[in-house]
């Protein structure tokens, strides 16, 4: 029952917003998942699909590249794994649009922010992904990161506070359609 309740939380943070005492149960559940993982008591049915999906995404199809003809990037488009998972043309078409409308170069990083492994309590999987992003961001010259995924935004705020981010939706709102 404890594993089911712990894994029912989707880490949205709404409980903290609603709680008069500012209690964030998602942090409690995340800590519980880490302990259950360390004790090998976290049922695989709760996380295996997402971890396998993330593993495939980060090892088989992810890429990081600069805009063709550019040596530096003012922006880094980080669509998150689910936008491309829904339809790869969403990422391709959006990236082409951003390159056409944003001056200063737009790099692309289609890796995962690490949320699925964090949610499963697998810090040994999450930490290398966080370091990989930091290295990629540094290699591109510390560009502003354009995020298509709110979960990636939450991960960036938590683990990469030095990174300036902006929502893809804010960018699109400011550009001609």
């Amino acid at each position: 029952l404890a594993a089911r309740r712990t894994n029912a939380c989707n880490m949205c943070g709404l409980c903290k917003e609603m709680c008069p005492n500012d209690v964030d149960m998602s942090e409690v559940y995340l800590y519980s998942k880490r302990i259950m993982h360390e004790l090998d008591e976290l049922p695989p049915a709760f996380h295996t699909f997402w971890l396998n999906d993330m593993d495939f995404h980060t090892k088989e199809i992810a890429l990081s590249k600069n805009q063709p003809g550019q040596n530096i990037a003012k922006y880094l488009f980080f669509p998150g794994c689910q936008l491309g998972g829904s339809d790869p043309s969403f990422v391709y078409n959006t990236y082409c649009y951003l390159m056409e409308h944003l001056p200063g170069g737009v790099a692309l990083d289609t890796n995962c922010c690490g949320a699925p492994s964090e949610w499963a309590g697998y810090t040994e999987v999450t930490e290398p992904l966080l370091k990989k992003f930091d290295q990629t961001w540094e290699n591109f010259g510390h560009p502003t990161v354009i995020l298509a995924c709110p979960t990636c935004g939450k991960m960036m705020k938590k683990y990469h506070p030095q990174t300036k981010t902006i929502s893809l939706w804010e960018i699109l709102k400011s550009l001609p359609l």
Side-chain angles (χ1 to χ4, degrees), residues 133-155:
F133 175 82
D134 284 335
Q135 187 63 54
T136 299
W137 181 70
E138 190 171 304
N139 289 345
F140 286 127
H142 307 122
T144 298
V145 180
I146 301 171
L147 300 168
C149 172
T151 299
C152 291
K154 188 174 180 181
M155 291 291 287

Side-chain angles (χ1 to χ4, degrees), residues 44-103:
F46 291 123
H47 58 271
T48 301
F49 172 81
W50 304 110
L51 290 173
N52 289 340
D53 186 50
M54 185 185 76
D55 188 55
F56 173 76
H57 185 86
T58 57
K59 293 182 179 164
E60 301 293 328
I61 61 172
L63 64 98
S64 296
K65 65 180 228 158
N66 221 332
Q67 180 174 334
Q70 298 282 337
N71 294 326
I72 59 167
K74 183 176 180 182
Y75 298 97
L76 173 60
F77 180 39
F78 192 88
C81 53
Q82 292 307 304
L83 187 64
S86 299
D87 186 338
S89 70
F90 294 161
V91 173
Y92 176 77
N93 292 334
T94 303
Y95 183 53
C96 290
Y97 180 81
L98 293 172
M99 287 189 296
E100 181 182 333
H101 288 90
L102 294 177

Side-chain angles (χ1 to χ4, degrees), residues 110-124:
T110 65
N111 278 288
C112 180
C113 68
S117 58
E118 180 184 45
W119 293 342
Y122 283 50
T123 55
E124 72 276 12

